[in-house]
Amino acid sequence: MLQHAESVTLQAGLFAQLLDVLKNDGYRLIGPRVRNGAVVYDDIANVNDLPRGISDEQSPGRYRIASSGSDRMFDYVVGPTSWKRFLYPPRRKLWEATRDDRGAWQPEPAADECQATAFIGVRACEISAIRILDRVLNESAYPDSAYAKRRRATFILAVGCAVPAATCFCTSVGGGPSPEADFDIALTELGTGDSHRFVLRAGSETGRGALRRLTDHLSLKPTALQATSEADQRAVDEQVRRSVGQITAVPAMGRAREILGASLRSDHWETVADRCLSCANCTMACPTCFCVDVEDVTDLTGTHAERWQQWDSCFTLSHSYLHGGSVRKTTASRYRQWLTHKLDTWHDQFGTSGCVGCGRCITWCPAGIDIRDELATLDSEVSEEAKAT
Amino acid sequence: MGKDAMVPATMRVRRRIQETADTFTLELEPDAGTFVFEPGQFNQLYVFGVGEVPISISGDAARPSVLVHTIRDVGTVTHALSKLRKGDTVGVRGPYGRGWPMEEARGKDVILAAGGIGLAPLRPSIRHVLANRDDYERVVIFYGARTPEDMLYPKELIKWRSRLDAKVSVTVDRADRSWHGNVGVITQLVSAARTNPSNTIAMVCGPEIMMHYMQIHLARLGVPDEAIFVSMERNMKCAIGRCGHCQYGGDFICRDGPVFAFSEIARRFRVRAL
């Protein structure tokens, strides 16, 4: 029956085999690993690179990894990196040109190598973020071909969140801790020690192919991989339920558009600006922030020019530069731009919110500014004004 | 889109004209022979190794064999553009954006009001209106410059003024005694428009403060916000709604503008630093 099972359970000790299957399929593996005291996404060689026994503690302006004391591999939540880094690289050459003796030149699009890549351990909120990037970069009148190419070459191995962080609020922006769609394989980590196991569910033809190859790979050990039992399915459901229960609801998120639409002239932006360092951490950590700048460079002879694209942030003064000075000179105006764009005007532009509730902007803000609190404050201002009139 | 929209075409400078002390016009030879655009659209102009800037197209849409941009030397790239001479190569991406409502204006009175270099993006639409004069009712052109020396296209202004089928009023902020024309802000000309406010389309291009007062004065005449069109400006880097710089509320100026009906942006137009 195994060949036809929609969902299979894999002994944790054999998780390495799944990574092997992906490697044999030609994928570069990028996944979570501990570096500089944080769980970051980077190349992984094998299962030993995964953050086994690591959990994280997150709160506004604070991130610590800790030892969970178990052998589980996905008990952290999300760190400072997002998959945006690999789909939409921080720096990329767009084109180059060489000027001849007569001053003529012709731009040549830069060669853009991209390798089939498997993302290991993609959270549900991160799948939402990738879908948003698809919308922004791909589903427009001028699709970004480099993004499209990387996206097509990506295999998504998703994982459900067993232990949400205090900064998580996916459930308030239409998401949840469990991947529902747009993955190739989704896994749920259950148990520890001898009962440590993964429930694997294919979400695409590519994912089913990988699971088939895993099955073949393990055919000599029939007990290692089995159709998921009803008990395991119940355990998965229970884990999802528990996770959802641990995520604090942010009621104002549902009204974000009205709140921000009525707050353009609020004094509260100045109050936030007293704390905001305009450092751009939130936009760099955000899995959906897509602003990019271009940089024009030449070599020393001045005959070779290149144009590079690199991540930018609406928190920089140059972002709104116009002749005569930047439009958004104050931190207050820049914070307003960021929050209003993310939660309100993103809808006008792309028919969706720009926020997936991953909480990175909260954790990685050095001043500990929490968009949930700022929105709640604006909410109470707006409702008080409504009462007063 | 087979070709990468971020990679420019290259065109040769055909002619360079010094318009005022700090403003010049570049005429380019379209690489494809012709360059089709709509009045109010813009291009991204790139100078080798220096950078790229958005510049409105100020030539004649009916004459696509030459691509014309009038540019003020205010920054690094525009300064490098000012140094280009006949035969030099420029990178060009475009045309981009939503232009002036030429179709919507057919059969109506048309007010075309420009402040300073704002005449450059408006000139294609003025030329279109004057070349297709029968398509429009009353035509009124207002132009305000800082000084008589800062006036763009003075010869063309004289040509327009000499027509009996268009009213052209010019004013300057300050002038010496050799100037016999109006002195003062452009809005003081508006009451003389004598158009039918319920059948008028106004196209306004200038600094935000000028458009701000023009809207107030046009509204006083009875021109509704839906019929007042303004050309907005923000930092434009990619021109294809991807880089995020030119956001203006829920719009990307490069993609959804630069021309907007005032009614589309009325709620945010007077919010500072947006």
Side-chain angles (χ1 to χ4, degrees):
Chain A
M1 287 307 287
L2 192 52
Q3 273 72 10
H4 307 289
E6 267 308 293
S7 157
V8 291
T9 302
L10 176 72
Q11 283 177 10
L14 295 166
F15 187 71
Q17 313 275 345
L18 175 60
L19 297 187
D20 285 345
V21 164
L22 294 174
K23 264 199 280 192
N24 290 338
D25 283 351
Y27 290 107
R28 166 191 177 192
L29 304 184
I30 297 178
R33 58 188 305 164
V34 174
R35 182 166 292 158
N36 299 329
V39 176
V40 300
Y41 299 147
D42 204 345
D43 283 283
I44 53 169
N46 55 48
V47 71
N48 297 327
D49 288 334
L50 295 175
R52 187 186 295 274
I54 296 290
S55 63
D56 56 21
E57 291 163 14
Q58 305 194 38
S59 58
R62 191 172 188 282
Y63 176 96
R64 296 288 183 276
I65 53 170
S67 170
S68 65
S70 92
D71 52 356
R72 287 165 60 91
M73 289 187 272
F74 295 98
D75 275 353
Y76 63 93
V77 189
V78 290
T81 355
S82 77
W83 303 103
K84 171 176 90 171
R85 169 170 295 276
F86 306 99
L87 291 167
Y88 197 50
R91 219 174 129 73
R92 185 170 78 79
K93 196 199 290 184
L94 294 176
W95 56 265
E96 57 195 314
T98 303
R99 191 161 56 178
D100 68 18
D101 297 343
R102 291 169 304 141
W105 52 274
Q106 203 50 250
E108 288 298 327
D112 187 42
E113 297 303 322
C114 105
Q115 191 188 341
T117 302
F119 292 173
I120 310 300
V122 183
R123 306 300 171 129
C125 61
E126 298 182 311
I127 291 176
S128 304
I130 292 171
R131 268 203 305 253
I132 290 173
L133 288 181
D134 288 349
R135 203 66 170 255
V136 172
L137 299 170
N138 227 356
E139 295 158 27
S140 79
Y142 298 96
D144 182 329
S145 53
Y147 175 85
K149 205 162 77 175
R150 285 176 173 76
R151 184 70 175 87
R152 273 196 305 273
T154 300
F155 182 101
I156 293 181
L157 178 61
V159 61
C161 294
V163 194
T167 44
C168 291
F169 59 99
C170 56
T171 50
S172 295
V173 289
S178 172
E180 302 296 342
D182 298 299
F183 53 78
D184 295 295
I185 294 178
L187 61 89
T188 306
E189 188 172 25
L190 294 175
T192 58
D194 291 343
S195 71
H196 189 195
R197 62 206 188 278
F198 290 99
V199 173
L200 309 178
R201 179 162 50 107
S204 73
E205 214 29 69
T206 317
R208 268 185 282 280
L211 277 193
R212 262 197 306 274
R213 280 186 286 287
L214 179 67
T215 311
D216 297 344
H217 210 60
L218 296 174
S219 56
L220 295 179
K221 304 176 188 165
T223 55
L225 185 75
Q226 294 179 334
T228 301
S229 65
E230 266 179 47
D232 274 0
Q233 195 49 55
R234 272 198 303 278
V236 169
D237 295 344
E238 175 52 32
Q239 181 162 297
V240 174
R241 219 172 5 255
R242 209 170 43 236
S243 292
V244 169
Q246 285 169 6
I247 298 169
T248 313
V250 188
M253 280 293 161
R255 297 188 301 276
R257 296 209 71 184
E258 308 152 46
I259 296 167
L260 291 164
S263 298
L264 288 178
R265 290 184 167 87
S266 166
D267 293 333
H268 183 63
W269 302 114
E270 297 292 343
T271 313
V272 186
D274 285 343
R275 298 167 63 210
C276 176
L277 305 171
S278 224
C279 72
N281 262 20
C282 49
T283 54
M284 297 293 111
C286 177
T288 68
C289 270
F290 60 85
C291 282
V292 285
D293 201 353
V294 284
E295 187 184 34
D296 292 287
V297 294
T298 48
D299 66 1
L300 284 174
T301 66
T303 56
H304 182 78
E306 296 181 350
R307 174 159 261 240
W308 288 75
Q309 173 179 284
Q310 58 197 30
W311 287 359
D312 196 9
S313 167
C314 55
F315 280 96
T316 67
L317 191 56
S318 61
H319 188 275
S320 63
Y321 174 79
L322 269 189
H323 53 86
S326 294
V327 174
R328 293 187 280 273
K329 290 191 182 68
T330 62
T331 298
S333 62
R334 284 178 243 157
Y335 189 85
R336 177 182 65 190
Q337 165 62 25
W338 180 68
L339 193 65
T340 307
H341 182 215
K342 191 64 55 184
L343 301 178
D344 177 16
T345 55
W346 204 295
H347 286 273
D348 299 322
Q349 296 166 353
F350 305 108
T352 163
S353 167
C355 180
V356 297
C358 71
R360 282 182 177 87
C361 59
I362 303 169
T363 299
W364 296 97
C365 174
I369 297 171
D370 188 330
I371 67 166
R372 298 169 296 185
D373 295 345
E374 303 315 326
L375 190 67
T377 305
L378 291 168
D379 185 21
S380 55
E381 265 188 22
V382 169
S383 25
E384 256 165 55
E385 267 165 41
K387 251 183 265 164
T389 52
Chain B
M1 270 267 131
K3 201 166 146 283
D4 190 329
M6 291 299 278
V7 180
T10 52
M11 299 186 196
R12 295 273 185 175
V13 176
R14 188 177 111 137
R15 195 155 74 112
R16 180 194 187 282
I17 305 153
Q18 191 69 37
E19 301 283 0
T20 70
D22 63 358
T23 304
F24 59 98
T25 292
L26 289 182
E27 293 184 1
L28 307 177
E29 288 168 13
D31 58 332
T34 56
F35 189 95
V36 177
F37 71 97
E38 290 165 22
Q41 287 192 303
F42 68 96
N43 281 328
Q44 291 281 353
L45 299 188
Y46 168 85
V47 183
F48 187 84
V50 181
E52 197 181 56
V53 281
I55 304 285
S56 65
I57 307 171
S58 50
D60 200 329
R63 201 181 151 218
S65 59
V66 52
L67 179 55
V68 181
H69 297 90
T70 295
I71 304 158
R72 192 144 68 99
D73 176 0
V74 284
T76 315
V77 182
T78 50
H79 185 67
L81 282 165
S82 80
K83 298 292 180 197
L84 296 178
R85 294 293 178 268
K86 185 177 173 174
D88 286 345
T89 303
V90 188
V92 180
R93 296 194 294 125
Y96 293 123
R98 178 173 67 158
W100 299 107
M102 305 316 297
E103 273 309 303
E104 205 179 325
R106 278 164 74 106
K108 294 184 177 163
D109 293 345
V110 185
I111 297 174
L112 301 133
I117 188 124
L119 187 57
L122 208 52
R123 185 168 73 166
S125 107
I126 294 174
R127 284 186 174 176
H128 179 89
V129 167
L130 294 179
N132 301 276
R133 186 62 190 83
D134 293 348
D135 291 350
Y136 304 92
E137 294 296 317
R138 196 174 157 77
V139 173
V140 186
I141 298 167
F142 297 131
Y143 181 45
R146 274 172 297 175
T147 69
E149 293 72 39
D150 289 314
M151 278 175 24
L152 275 186
Y153 319 133
K155 283 184 194 146
E156 203 162 355
L157 278 165
I158 290 167
K159 214 166 74 188
W160 296 340
R161 279 192 70 145
S162 69
R163 290 178 67 129
L164 299 174
D165 57 0
K167 179 181 169 55
V168 180
S169 304
V170 174
T171 183
V172 295
D173 291 343
R174 54 183 190 279
D176 64 19
R177 269 186 236 165
S178 63
W179 173 254
H180 298 293
N182 296 307
V183 175
V185 291
I186 190 170
T187 46
Q188 68 183 19
L189 306 173
V190 174
S191 57
R194 299 192 196 291
T195 62
N196 172 6
S198 60
N199 191 43
T200 293
I201 291 283
M203 306 182 201
V204 184
C205 189
E208 266 184 49
I209 188 73
M210 172 264 192
M211 298 193 289
H212 158 88
Y213 282 110
M214 281 301 292
Q215 185 271 335
I216 292 173
H217 281 76
L218 288 166
R220 251 179 229 160
L221 285 188
V223 182
D225 285 352
E226 291 75 18
I228 301 172
F229 290 80
V230 295
S231 183
M232 295 299 296
E233 196 176 14
R234 285 293 182 270
N235 190 9
M236 292 194 279
K237 289 279 183 171
C238 73
I240 54 178
R242 196 196 284 166
C243 79
H245 286 81
C246 70
Q247 282 180 71
Y248 182 52
D251 291 308
F252 292 107
I253 300 271
C254 70
R255 185 190 75 184
D256 307 313
V259 174
F260 292 93
F262 192 81
S263 53
E264 295 174 302
I265 56 169
R267 208 177 62 85
R268 67 183 103 121
F269 184 77
R270 292 181 174 96
V271 176
R272 295 184 65 134
L274 196 65

